[in-house]
Every structure is written in structure tokens, then in C-alpha cells.
Amino acid sequence: MIDIYQKCPILENADFLLRLVQEDDAKDLIEVYGDKKALPYFNSDNCDGDDFYYPTQERMHEAIKFWLWSYSNQAFVRFSIIDKKDNKAVGTIELLNRKSTDYFNNCGLLRLDVRADLENQNSLYDIMSIIIEPTYQLFDCSMIATKAPIYAIDRKVAIEKIGFQKTKERLIGNYDTYGDYWIIKKAIQ
């Protein structure tokens, strides 16, 4: 089995490529994290008040440095989503194996942030289809969870098409509990 914290794989389909975030991605990612239209779709649950709004290059660089530091300390992996057509970072995916005492223990927790123009059923489906199957092995989990609030209509359609189902279980954080989670379980072979 690959140790994702020793060598982060590159995953791709015809339209998108996923690879470990790089500091050079800041110039592209500011179009994601500096966009107030994209902001409501970012999952900041249990992130100590960070809302992921980074409107300046300086703040974007700080975030990427933190993501790379977190990767080197095996806290989580932050993939950049590269649009192959433009060779440009158009979002990120954060993944980790969540260790907890709640329902989401030993669960691949997935956060997906994309530019506002990609918050549509087809783009979200294409991007998430790349990462779902590899997540089970890369993060040694049998369940993946992601958040889709009630207003994220296109996101809900895309994840339902992949096989996610809404759960009533709440994620227990450091200071609060969080809802609107959807799960998919690894098919038993």
C-alpha cells in the first residue's frame, strides 16, 4: 500500500488532474479562495474559525504553507485540482482519515473547494469521480464523508450520482457539532 504522506500520487481523468498543492498554485487559487460567490460552499467545520476566504496573495500563500506543513506532519493532504484545458489550479480537495469517537471515526473526510463557475453537477461529478475509489486505499478507510448544505443543489446531485447518501449523524468537533454530511461506503468485494 502507498503511504500518501511519503509520496502523494497524481490522479487524473480526461479533464482534471489532482496533485499535492504547491506554493506556485497561489496565483490561481486566489480566484477560488478570494471569490465570495464560492465561499458558501467551502466546508470550514472544525477549522477553528477559518472561513477559507483568502482575498490577498499574502493570505493565500500563508494558507498553502499551512497546508504543506499539515501534509508534512501527516494531518491531511490538500490536493490542487488542475483543469487540464488551461493548466490552471481551479480548486482543492482536502482529505484525511478522521480518528474520533463519533460516527465518523476512521472515515475519509473530504472537503472540496472549487471556483464558483465549477460549482455545477457535471464539473463536481468529474472531479469527485477521480478521488473516491483511491481514497479507500490511500487513507485506509471504508467510508468517505463530505458536506453538502441544503442550498448546494448541484453538489448534492453530483454526489448522489456517485453514490453518496445523506446521513443524520452529526460530526462532533472540538467545540461544536456539524450536520449536512453525506457518506459513501466501500463496496464489499
Side-chain angles (χ1 to χ4, degrees):
M1 182 162 71
I2 296 172
D3 181 346
I4 195 164
Y5 293 106
Q6 294 302 314
K7 181 172 174 38
C8 187
I10 295 173
L11 306 167
E12 61 186 306
N13 62 17
D15 298 316
F16 297 100
L17 179 139
L18 308 179
R19 59 146 169 82
L20 185 64
V21 69
Q22 300 171 0
E23 289 197 42
D24 290 349
D25 294 335
K27 66 185 179 308
D28 296 337
L29 291 177
I30 197 164
E31 291 180 30
V32 178
Y33 293 98
D35 181 357
K36 291 180 182 178
K37 291 178 186 170
L39 187 61
Y41 299 97
F42 302 164
N43 176 359
S44 60
D45 291 354
N46 212 35
C47 291
D48 297 321
D50 190 348
D51 62 7
F52 294 93
Y53 181 57
Y54 309 139
T56 65
Q57 285 291 325
E58 179 183 356
R59 185 63 190 103
M60 192 71 250
H61 278 287
E62 288 172 6
I64 291 173
K65 285 181 184 178
F66 174 73
W67 296 340
L68 291 170
W69 177 86
S70 297
Y71 174 76
S72 69
N73 286 281
Q74 301 185 8
F76 60 80
V77 178
R78 182 69 75 148
F79 293 91
S80 282
I81 303 164
I82 308 299
D83 184 331
K84 288 181 167 183
K85 176 180 40 128
D86 301 326
N87 194 31
K88 189 172 185 174
V90 295
T92 68
I93 291 177
E94 179 185 293
L95 264 164
L96 60 101
N97 182 321
R98 186 170 188 271
K99 304 294 185 191
S100 67
T101 57
D102 65 10
Y103 176 79
F104 298 96
N105 182 44
N106 200 32
C107 170
L109 188 61
L110 186 151
R111 299 176 197 265
L112 172 63
D113 305 335
V114 294
R115 277 189 338 219
D117 63 311
L118 295 174
E119 189 66 40
N120 64 71
Q121 296 170 25
N122 293 334
S123 297
L124 294 168
Y125 178 83
D126 287 347
I127 292 166
M128 290 190 74
S129 294
I130 301 169
I131 195 71
I132 297 304
E133 277 306 312
T135 294
Y136 297 117
Q137 182 179 8
L138 292 171
F139 291 89
D140 191 26
C141 61
S142 58
M143 179 174 72
I144 302 168
T146 194
K147 185 168 184 137
I150 193 166
Y151 53 82
I153 306 301
D154 284 314
R155 188 171 289 233
K156 290 192 297 189
V157 170
I159 63 178
E160 282 180 317
K161 185 176 176 184
I162 290 170
F164 279 84
Q165 297 178 335
K166 185 147 176 57
T167 180
K168 292 181 181 177
E169 299 289 339
R170 294 187 62 82
L171 187 140
I172 300 172
N174 295 332
Y175 309 105
D176 206 347
T177 65
Y178 307 95
D180 295 323
Y181 278 90
W182 295 65
I183 62 164
I184 186 170
K185 294 186 178 181
K186 182 178 182 179
I188 298 174
Q189 308 205 358

